[in-house]
PDB file of all heavy atoms in Angstrom:
ATOM      1  N   GLU A 199      -1.741  21.333  -2.131  1.00 63.00           N
ATOM      2  CA  GLU A 199      -1.520  22.679  -2.653  1.00 63.00           C
ATOM      3  C   GLU A 199      -0.354  22.745  -3.575  1.00 63.00           C
ATOM      4  O   GLU A 199       0.652  22.061  -3.369  1.00 63.00           O
ATOM      5  CB  GLU A 199      -1.369  23.670  -1.487  1.00 63.00           C
ATOM      6  CG  GLU A 199      -2.580  23.804  -0.616  1.00 63.00           C
ATOM      7  CD  GLU A 199      -2.491  24.897   0.407  1.00 63.00           C
ATOM      8  OE1 GLU A 199      -1.470  25.585   0.430  1.00 63.00           O
ATOM      9  OE2 GLU A 199      -3.482  25.098   1.148  1.00 63.00           O
ATOM     10  N   GLY A 200      -0.507  23.497  -4.676  1.00 60.00           N
ATOM     11  CA  GLY A 200       0.605  23.577  -5.570  1.00 60.00           C
ATOM     12  C   GLY A 200       0.065  23.813  -7.017  1.00 60.00           C
ATOM     13  O   GLY A 200      -1.089  23.988  -7.245  1.00 60.00           O
ATOM     14  N   PRO A 201       1.036  23.839  -7.989  1.00 58.00           N
ATOM     15  CA  PRO A 201       0.614  24.078  -9.395  1.00 58.00           C
ATOM     16  C   PRO A 201      -0.211  22.953  -9.978  1.00 58.00           C
ATOM     17  O   PRO A 201      -0.199  21.831  -9.494  1.00 58.00           O
ATOM     18  CB  PRO A 201       2.010  24.221 -10.076  1.00 58.00           C
ATOM     19  CG  PRO A 201       2.926  23.357  -9.228  1.00 58.00           C
ATOM     20  CD  PRO A 201       2.446  23.556  -7.809  1.00 58.00           C
ATOM     21  N   ARG A 202      -0.937  23.301 -11.083  1.00 56.00           N
ATOM     22  CA  ARG A 202      -1.744  22.345 -11.783  1.00 56.00           C
ATOM     23  C   ARG A 202      -1.093  21.980 -13.089  1.00 56.00           C
ATOM     24  O   ARG A 202      -0.176  22.671 -13.559  1.00 56.00           O
ATOM     25  CB  ARG A 202      -3.105  22.900 -12.056  1.00 56.00           C
ATOM     26  CG  ARG A 202      -3.889  23.425 -10.854  1.00 56.00           C
ATOM     27  CD  ARG A 202      -4.386  22.304  -9.965  1.00 56.00           C
ATOM     28  NE  ARG A 202      -3.396  21.911  -8.985  1.00 56.00           N
ATOM     29  CZ  ARG A 202      -3.508  20.789  -8.166  1.00 56.00           C
ATOM     30  NH1 ARG A 202      -4.586  20.008  -8.302  1.00 56.00           N
ATOM     31  NH2 ARG A 202      -2.579  20.461  -7.356  1.00 56.00           N
ATOM     32  N   VAL A 203      -1.576  20.952 -13.775  1.00 53.00           N
ATOM     33  CA  VAL A 203      -1.082  20.592 -15.080  1.00 53.00           C
ATOM     34  C   VAL A 203      -2.209  20.537 -16.086  1.00 53.00           C
ATOM     35  O   VAL A 203      -3.355  20.386 -15.713  1.00 53.00           O
ATOM     36  CB  VAL A 203      -0.310  19.212 -15.051  1.00 53.00           C
ATOM     37  CG1 VAL A 203       0.911  19.312 -14.196  1.00 53.00           C
ATOM     38  CG2 VAL A 203      -1.242  18.119 -14.571  1.00 53.00           C
ATOM     39  N   PHE A 204      -1.842  20.578 -17.381  1.00 47.00           N
ATOM     40  CA  PHE A 204      -2.846  20.522 -18.476  1.00 47.00           C
ATOM     41  C   PHE A 204      -3.856  21.621 -18.409  1.00 47.00           C
ATOM     42  O   PHE A 204      -5.028  21.389 -18.826  1.00 47.00           O
ATOM     43  CB  PHE A 204      -3.488  19.102 -18.536  1.00 47.00           C
ATOM     44  CG  PHE A 204      -2.516  18.002 -18.779  1.00 47.00           C
ATOM     45  CD1 PHE A 204      -2.332  17.067 -17.796  1.00 47.00           C
ATOM     46  CD2 PHE A 204      -1.831  17.899 -19.924  1.00 47.00           C
ATOM     47  CE1 PHE A 204      -1.414  15.991 -17.973  1.00 47.00           C
ATOM     48  CE2 PHE A 204      -0.888  16.847 -20.126  1.00 47.00           C
ATOM     49  CZ  PHE A 204      -0.698  15.936 -19.176  1.00 47.00           C
ATOM     50  N   GLU A 205      -3.521  22.735 -17.833  1.00 49.00           N
ATOM     51  CA  GLU A 205      -4.449  23.835 -17.789  1.00 49.00           C
ATOM     52  C   GLU A 205      -3.982  24.955 -18.737  1.00 49.00           C
ATOM     53  O   GLU A 205      -2.805  24.994 -19.180  1.00 49.00           O
ATOM     54  CB  GLU A 205      -4.585  24.390 -16.390  1.00 49.00           C
ATOM     55  CG  GLU A 205      -5.243  23.361 -15.441  1.00 49.00           C
ATOM     56  CD  GLU A 205      -5.703  23.981 -14.088  1.00 49.00           C
ATOM     57  OE1 GLU A 205      -5.373  25.151 -13.807  1.00 49.00           O
ATOM     58  OE2 GLU A 205      -6.390  23.277 -13.354  1.00 49.00           O
ATOM     59  N   SER A 206      -4.875  25.874 -19.096  1.00 54.00           N
ATOM     60  CA  SER A 206      -4.588  26.864 -20.138  1.00 54.00           C
ATOM     61  C   SER A 206      -3.606  27.957 -19.674  1.00 54.00           C
ATOM     62  O   SER A 206      -2.938  28.554 -20.469  1.00 54.00           O
ATOM     63  CB  SER A 206      -5.913  27.532 -20.564  1.00 54.00           C
ATOM     64  OG  SER A 206      -6.614  28.072 -19.428  1.00 54.00           O
ATOM     65  N   GLU A 207      -3.530  28.185 -18.383  1.00 54.00           N
ATOM     66  CA  GLU A 207      -2.615  29.163 -17.826  1.00 54.00           C
ATOM     67  C   GLU A 207      -2.182  28.757 -16.439  1.00 54.00           C
ATOM     68  O   GLU A 207      -2.856  27.883 -15.791  1.00 54.00           O
ATOM     69  CB  GLU A 207      -3.242  30.527 -17.815  1.00 54.00           C
ATOM     70  CG  GLU A 207      -4.545  30.607 -16.963  1.00 54.00           C
ATOM     71  CD  GLU A 207      -5.226  31.954 -17.080  1.00 54.00           C
ATOM     72  OE1 GLU A 207      -5.795  32.198 -18.180  1.00 54.00           O
ATOM     73  OE2 GLU A 207      -5.236  32.684 -16.118  1.00 54.00           O
ATOM     74  N   PRO A 208      -1.061  29.242 -15.915  1.00 51.00           N
ATOM     75  CA  PRO A 208      -0.580  28.850 -14.616  1.00 51.00           C
ATOM     76  C   PRO A 208      -1.659  29.023 -13.545  1.00 51.00           C
ATOM     77  O   PRO A 208      -2.376  30.043 -13.500  1.00 51.00           O
ATOM     78  CB  PRO A 208       0.615  29.760 -14.353  1.00 51.00           C
ATOM     79  CG  PRO A 208       1.090  30.122 -15.757  1.00 51.00           C
ATOM     80  CD  PRO A 208      -0.189  30.231 -16.585  1.00 51.00           C
ATOM     81  N   ASN A 209      -1.761  28.075 -12.638  1.00 54.00           N
ATOM     82  CA  ASN A 209      -2.773  28.051 -11.635  1.00 54.00           C
ATOM     83  C   ASN A 209      -2.273  27.271 -10.445  1.00 54.00           C
ATOM     84  O   ASN A 209      -1.723  26.186 -10.608  1.00 54.00           O
ATOM     85  CB  ASN A 209      -4.090  27.483 -12.175  1.00 54.00           C
ATOM     86  CG  ASN A 209      -5.177  27.500 -11.137  1.00 54.00           C
ATOM     87  OD1 ASN A 209      -5.257  28.402 -10.328  1.00 54.00           O
ATOM     88  ND2 ASN A 209      -6.046  26.480 -11.180  1.00 54.00           N
ATOM     89  N   THR A 210      -2.509  27.809  -9.236  1.00 54.00           N
ATOM     90  CA  THR A 210      -2.121  27.122  -8.028  1.00 54.00           C
ATOM     91  C   THR A 210      -3.373  26.660  -7.291  1.00 54.00           C
ATOM     92  O   THR A 210      -4.307  27.400  -7.142  1.00 54.00           O
ATOM     93  CB  THR A 210      -1.284  28.020  -7.131  1.00 54.00           C
ATOM     94  OG1 THR A 210      -0.067  28.361  -7.831  1.00 54.00           O
ATOM     95  CG2 THR A 210      -0.934  27.314  -5.814  1.00 54.00           C
ATOM     96  N   HIS A 211      -3.385  25.422  -6.876  1.00 54.00           N
ATOM     97  CA  HIS A 211      -4.526  24.831  -6.195  1.00 54.00           C
ATOM     98  C   HIS A 211      -4.434  24.994  -4.686  1.00 54.00           C
ATOM     99  O   HIS A 211      -3.392  24.777  -4.084  1.00 54.00           O
ATOM    100  CB  HIS A 211      -4.648  23.336  -6.559  1.00 54.00           C
ATOM    101  CG  HIS A 211      -5.751  22.614  -5.920  1.00 54.00           C
ATOM    102  ND1 HIS A 211      -7.075  22.881  -6.258  1.00 54.00           N
ATOM    103  CD2 HIS A 211      -5.790  21.675  -4.949  1.00 54.00           C
ATOM    104  CE1 HIS A 211      -7.840  22.124  -5.526  1.00 54.00           C
ATOM    105  NE2 HIS A 211      -7.115  21.393  -4.748  1.00 54.00           N
ATOM    106  N   LEU A 212      -5.565  25.401  -4.109  1.00 56.00           N
ATOM    107  CA  LEU A 212      -5.641  25.490  -2.663  1.00 56.00           C
ATOM    108  C   LEU A 212      -6.570  24.336  -2.159  1.00 56.00           C
ATOM    109  O   LEU A 212      -7.543  24.033  -2.807  1.00 56.00           O
ATOM    110  CB  LEU A 212      -6.206  26.848  -2.239  1.00 56.00           C
ATOM    111  CG  LEU A 212      -5.379  28.072  -2.627  1.00 56.00           C
ATOM    112  CD1 LEU A 212      -6.095  29.328  -2.220  1.00 56.00           C
ATOM    113  CD2 LEU A 212      -3.970  28.006  -2.053  1.00 56.00           C
ATOM    114  N   VAL A 213      -6.225  23.737  -1.061  1.00 61.00           N
ATOM    115  CA  VAL A 213      -7.003  22.591  -0.508  1.00 61.00           C
ATOM    116  C   VAL A 213      -7.869  23.042   0.626  1.00 61.00           C
ATOM    117  O   VAL A 213      -7.464  23.751   1.539  1.00 61.00           O
ATOM    118  CB  VAL A 213      -5.966  21.520  -0.009  1.00 61.00           C
ATOM    119  CG1 VAL A 213      -6.735  20.364   0.593  1.00 61.00           C
ATOM    120  CG2 VAL A 213      -5.157  21.055  -1.180  1.00 61.00           C
ATOM    121  N   SER A 214      -9.104  22.557   0.591  1.00 70.00           N
ATOM    122  CA  SER A 214     -10.047  22.878   1.660  1.00 70.00           C
ATOM    123  C   SER A 214      -9.603  22.201   2.953  1.00 70.00           C
ATOM    124  O   SER A 214      -9.183  21.065   2.968  1.00 70.00           O
ATOM    125  CB  SER A 214     -11.454  22.313   1.314  1.00 70.00           C
ATOM    126  OG  SER A 214     -12.292  22.276   2.450  1.00 70.00           O
ATOM    127  N   PRO A 215      -9.681  22.916   4.057  1.00 74.00           N
ATOM    128  CA  PRO A 215      -9.291  22.310   5.357  1.00 74.00           C
ATOM    129  C   PRO A 215     -10.180  21.199   5.812  1.00 74.00           C
ATOM    130  O   PRO A 215      -9.859  20.460   6.717  1.00 74.00           O
ATOM    131  CB  PRO A 215      -9.312  23.527   6.303  1.00 74.00           C
ATOM    132  CG  PRO A 215     -10.291  24.446   5.688  1.00 74.00           C
ATOM    133  CD  PRO A 215     -10.094  24.295   4.216  1.00 74.00           C
ATOM    134  N   HIS A 216     -11.318  21.056   5.115  1.00 82.00           N
ATOM    135  CA  HIS A 216     -12.291  20.059   5.514  1.00 82.00           C
ATOM    136  C   HIS A 216     -12.343  18.845   4.584  1.00 82.00           C
ATOM    137  O   HIS A 216     -13.250  18.016   4.697  1.00 82.00           O
ATOM    138  CB  HIS A 216     -13.737  20.678   5.542  1.00 82.00           C
ATOM    139  CG  HIS A 216     -13.819  21.918   6.373  1.00 82.00           C
ATOM    140  ND1 HIS A 216     -13.664  21.935   7.792  1.00 82.00           N
ATOM    141  CD2 HIS A 216     -14.008  23.229   6.025  1.00 82.00           C
ATOM    142  CE1 HIS A 216     -13.776  23.164   8.254  1.00 82.00           C
ATOM    143  NE2 HIS A 216     -14.016  23.969   7.205  1.00 82.00           N
ATOM    144  N   TYR A 217     -11.333  18.796   3.642  1.00 84.00           N
ATOM    145  CA  TYR A 217     -11.425  17.742   2.646  1.00 84.00           C
ATOM    146  C   TYR A 217     -11.473  16.314   3.206  1.00 84.00           C
ATOM    147  O   TYR A 217     -12.192  15.484   2.685  1.00 84.00           O
ATOM    148  CB  TYR A 217     -10.341  17.909   1.610  1.00 84.00           C
ATOM    149  CG  TYR A 217      -8.995  17.294   1.971  1.00 84.00           C
ATOM    150  CD1 TYR A 217      -8.748  15.962   1.673  1.00 84.00           C
ATOM    151  CD2 TYR A 217      -8.021  18.025   2.658  1.00 84.00           C
ATOM    152  CE1 TYR A 217      -7.525  15.390   2.032  1.00 84.00           C
ATOM    153  CE2 TYR A 217      -6.838  17.464   3.030  1.00 84.00           C
ATOM    154  CZ  TYR A 217      -6.572  16.111   2.689  1.00 84.00           C
ATOM    155  OH  TYR A 217      -5.336  15.523   3.042  1.00 84.00           O
ATOM    156  N   LYS A 218     -10.699  16.074   4.266  1.00 89.00           N
ATOM    157  CA  LYS A 218     -10.640  14.709   4.793  1.00 89.00           C
ATOM    158  C   LYS A 218     -11.981  14.225   5.276  1.00 89.00           C
ATOM    159  O   LYS A 218     -12.461  13.144   4.924  1.00 89.00           O
ATOM    160  CB  LYS A 218      -9.596  14.584   5.903  1.00 89.00           C
ATOM    161  CG  LYS A 218      -8.186  14.629   5.406  1.00 89.00           C
ATOM    162  CD  LYS A 218      -7.181  14.301   6.567  1.00 89.00           C
ATOM    163  CE  LYS A 218      -5.781  14.273   6.072  1.00 89.00           C
ATOM    164  NZ  LYS A 218      -4.828  13.981   7.211  1.00 89.00           N
ATOM    165  N   GLU A 219     -12.610  15.051   6.139  1.00 92.00           N
ATOM    166  CA  GLU A 219     -13.945  14.647   6.686  1.00 92.00           C
ATOM    167  C   GLU A 219     -14.986  14.535   5.627  1.00 92.00           C
ATOM    168  O   GLU A 219     -15.828  13.659   5.629  1.00 92.00           O
ATOM    169  CB  GLU A 219     -14.328  15.584   7.797  1.00 92.00           C
ATOM    170  CG  GLU A 219     -14.498  17.024   7.366  1.00 92.00           C
ATOM    171  CD  GLU A 219     -14.709  17.977   8.559  1.00 92.00           C
ATOM    172  OE1 GLU A 219     -13.692  18.351   9.159  1.00 92.00           O
ATOM    173  OE2 GLU A 219     -15.862  18.329   8.814  1.00 92.00           O
ATOM    174  N   ARG A 220     -14.937  15.385   4.605  1.00 92.00           N
ATOM    175  CA  ARG A 220     -15.912  15.401   3.549  1.00 92.00           C
ATOM    176  C   ARG A 220     -15.748  14.123   2.662  1.00 92.00           C
ATOM    177  O   ARG A 220     -16.770  13.442   2.326  1.00 92.00           O
ATOM    178  CB  ARG A 220     -15.835  16.677   2.701  1.00 92.00           C
ATOM    179  CG  ARG A 220     -16.077  17.950   3.413  1.00 92.00           C
ATOM    180  CD  ARG A 220     -17.454  17.965   4.031  1.00 92.00           C
ATOM    181  NE  ARG A 220     -18.506  18.370   3.107  1.00 92.00           N
ATOM    182  CZ  ARG A 220     -19.813  18.286   3.331  1.00 92.00           C
ATOM    183  NH1 ARG A 220     -20.277  17.826   4.477  1.00 92.00           N
ATOM    184  NH2 ARG A 220     -20.691  18.686   2.424  1.00 92.00           N
ATOM    185  N   TRP A 221     -14.525  13.794   2.334  1.00 93.00           N
ATOM    186  CA  TRP A 221     -14.301  12.590   1.541  1.00 93.00           C
ATOM    187  C   TRP A 221     -14.605  11.349   2.354  1.00 93.00           C
ATOM    188  O   TRP A 221     -15.088  10.344   1.791  1.00 93.00           O
ATOM    189  CB  TRP A 221     -12.861  12.567   1.026  1.00 93.00           C
ATOM    190  CG  TRP A 221     -12.679  13.284  -0.272  1.00 93.00           C
ATOM    191  CD1 TRP A 221     -12.129  14.549  -0.427  1.00 93.00           C
ATOM    192  CD2 TRP A 221     -13.057  12.864  -1.575  1.00 93.00           C
ATOM    193  NE1 TRP A 221     -12.117  14.902  -1.743  1.00 93.00           N
ATOM    194  CE2 TRP A 221     -12.706  13.899  -2.481  1.00 93.00           C
ATOM    195  CE3 TRP A 221     -13.622  11.693  -2.053  1.00 93.00           C
ATOM    196  CZ2 TRP A 221     -12.925  13.775  -3.834  1.00 93.00           C
ATOM    197  CZ3 TRP A 221     -13.880  11.611  -3.425  1.00 93.00           C
ATOM    198  CH2 TRP A 221     -13.508  12.619  -4.295  1.00 93.00           C
ATOM    199  N   GLN A 222     -14.338  11.347   3.620  1.00 94.00           N
ATOM    200  CA  GLN A 222     -14.677  10.173   4.475  1.00 94.00           C
ATOM    201  C   GLN A 222     -16.204   9.971   4.498  1.00 94.00           C
ATOM    202  O   GLN A 222     -16.663   8.843   4.390  1.00 94.00           O
ATOM    203  CB  GLN A 222     -14.162  10.413   5.905  1.00 94.00           C
ATOM    204  CG  GLN A 222     -12.639  10.284   6.020  1.00 94.00           C
ATOM    205  CD  GLN A 222     -12.110  10.736   7.322  1.00 94.00           C
ATOM    206  OE1 GLN A 222     -12.792  11.436   8.103  1.00 94.00           O
ATOM    207  NE2 GLN A 222     -10.833  10.439   7.588  1.00 94.00           N
ATOM    208  N   GLU A 223     -16.938  11.066   4.562  1.00 95.00           N
ATOM    209  CA  GLU A 223     -18.413  10.978   4.531  1.00 95.00           C
ATOM    210  C   GLU A 223     -18.853  10.429   3.166  1.00 95.00           C
ATOM    211  O   GLU A 223     -19.764   9.560   3.137  1.00 95.00           O
ATOM    212  CB  GLU A 223     -19.025  12.369   4.703  1.00 95.00           C
ATOM    213  CG  GLU A 223     -18.895  12.937   6.096  1.00 95.00           C
ATOM    214  CD  GLU A 223     -19.384  14.382   6.177  1.00 95.00           C
ATOM    215  OE1 GLU A 223     -19.864  14.930   5.173  1.00 95.00           O
ATOM    216  OE2 GLU A 223     -19.313  14.966   7.275  1.00 95.00           O
ATOM    217  N   LEU A 224     -18.269  10.858   2.084  1.00 95.00           N
ATOM    218  CA  LEU A 224     -18.678  10.421   0.807  1.00 95.00           C
ATOM    219  C   LEU A 224     -18.323   8.977   0.580  1.00 95.00           C
ATOM    220  O   LEU A 224     -19.157   8.210   0.016  1.00 95.00           O
ATOM    221  CB  LEU A 224     -17.972  11.291  -0.309  1.00 95.00           C
ATOM    222  CG  LEU A 224     -18.501  11.071  -1.712  1.00 95.00           C
ATOM    223  CD1 LEU A 224     -19.951  11.473  -1.840  1.00 95.00           C
ATOM    224  CD2 LEU A 224     -17.624  11.838  -2.724  1.00 95.00           C
ATOM    225  N   LYS A 225     -17.152   8.526   1.005  1.00 96.00           N
ATOM    226  CA  LYS A 225     -16.772   7.135   0.888  1.00 96.00           C
ATOM    227  C   LYS A 225     -17.748   6.252   1.655  1.00 96.00           C
ATOM    228  O   LYS A 225     -18.234   5.213   1.174  1.00 96.00           O
ATOM    229  CB  LYS A 225     -15.357   6.961   1.483  1.00 96.00           C
ATOM    230  CG  LYS A 225     -14.901   5.506   1.738  1.00 96.00           C
ATOM    231  CD  LYS A 225     -14.788   4.741   0.422  1.00 96.00           C
ATOM    232  CE  LYS A 225     -14.187   3.353   0.739  1.00 96.00           C
ATOM    233  NZ  LYS A 225     -14.127   2.479  -0.441  1.00 96.00           N
ATOM    234  N   LYS A 226     -18.146   6.656   2.848  1.00 96.00           N
ATOM    235  CA  LYS A 226     -19.058   5.867   3.650  1.00 96.00           C
ATOM    236  C   LYS A 226     -20.467   5.827   2.942  1.00 96.00           C
ATOM    237  O   LYS A 226     -21.074   4.780   2.892  1.00 96.00           O
ATOM    238  CB  LYS A 226     -19.236   6.535   5.042  1.00 96.00           C
ATOM    239  CG  LYS A 226     -20.158   5.784   5.983  1.00 96.00           C
ATOM    240  CD  LYS A 226     -20.174   6.473   7.350  1.00 96.00           C
ATOM    241  CE  LYS A 226     -21.139   5.732   8.327  1.00 96.00           C
ATOM    242  NZ  LYS A 226     -21.160   6.399   9.661  1.00 96.00           N
ATOM    243  N   PHE A 227     -20.868   6.941   2.429  1.00 96.00           N
ATOM    244  CA  PHE A 227     -22.093   7.027   1.747  1.00 96.00           C
ATOM    245  C   PHE A 227     -22.156   6.155   0.429  1.00 96.00           C
ATOM    246  O   PHE A 227     -23.110   5.440   0.231  1.00 96.00           O
ATOM    247  CB  PHE A 227     -22.374   8.503   1.322  1.00 96.00           C
ATOM    248  CG  PHE A 227     -23.622   8.740   0.493  1.00 96.00           C
ATOM    249  CD1 PHE A 227     -24.882   8.628   1.037  1.00 96.00           C
ATOM    250  CD2 PHE A 227     -23.511   9.096  -0.861  1.00 96.00           C
ATOM    251  CE1 PHE A 227     -26.030   8.843   0.287  1.00 96.00           C
ATOM    252  CE2 PHE A 227     -24.611   9.341  -1.634  1.00 96.00           C
ATOM    253  CZ  PHE A 227     -25.896   9.219  -1.067  1.00 96.00           C
ATOM    254  N   PHE A 228     -21.075   6.198  -0.311  1.00 97.00           N
ATOM    255  CA  PHE A 228     -21.002   5.356  -1.483  1.00 97.00           C
ATOM    256  C   PHE A 228     -20.978   3.862  -1.148  1.00 97.00           C
ATOM    257  O   PHE A 228     -21.683   3.074  -1.773  1.00 97.00           O
ATOM    258  CB  PHE A 228     -19.699   5.710  -2.276  1.00 97.00           C
ATOM    259  CG  PHE A 228     -19.826   6.946  -3.122  1.00 97.00           C
ATOM    260  CD1 PHE A 228     -18.764   7.401  -3.854  1.00 97.00           C
ATOM    261  CD2 PHE A 228     -21.044   7.632  -3.247  1.00 97.00           C
ATOM    262  CE1 PHE A 228     -18.847   8.582  -4.658  1.00 97.00           C
ATOM    263  CE2 PHE A 228     -21.136   8.778  -4.046  1.00 97.00           C
ATOM    264  CZ  PHE A 228     -20.029   9.209  -4.754  1.00 97.00           C
ATOM    265  N   THR A 229     -20.178   3.488  -0.184  1.00 97.00           N
ATOM    266  CA  THR A 229     -20.082   2.086   0.240  1.00 97.00           C
ATOM    267  C   THR A 229     -21.493   1.560   0.634  1.00 97.00           C
ATOM    268  O   THR A 229     -21.860   0.471   0.308  1.00 97.00           O
ATOM    269  CB  THR A 229     -19.105   1.915   1.365  1.00 97.00           C
ATOM    270  OG1 THR A 229     -17.806   2.343   0.919  1.00 97.00           O
ATOM    271  CG2 THR A 229     -19.010   0.467   1.821  1.00 97.00           C
ATOM    272  N   ALA A 230     -22.229   2.352   1.424  1.00 97.00           N
ATOM    273  CA  ALA A 230     -23.550   1.961   1.863  1.00 97.00           C
ATOM    274  C   ALA A 230     -24.569   1.732   0.748  1.00 97.00           C
ATOM    275  O   ALA A 230     -25.500   1.036   0.886  1.00 97.00           O
ATOM    276  CB  ALA A 230     -24.102   2.996   2.859  1.00 97.00           C
TER     277      ALA A 230
END
């Protein structure tokens, strides 16, 4: 979470509480 760069106007990013498990699933899927 925090500010972004190279964007047209100020913007703060919020992180999904499920990002870890979703990326772990994707990594496993890609590797397979």
Side-chain angles (χ1 to χ4, degrees):
E199 295 188 1
R202 306 288 87 189
V203 296
F204 299 114
E205 293 193 352
S206 55
E207 57 186 73
N209 180 34
T210 298
H211 179 68
L212 299 178
V213 177
S214 165
H216 307 294
Y217 84 88
K218 285 187 178 181
E219 60 191 80
R220 298 301 277 170
W221 274 103
Q222 287 168 347
E223 290 174 1
L224 190 63
K225 167 66 173 177
K226 182 178 179 180
F227 176 72
F228 279 177
T229 299

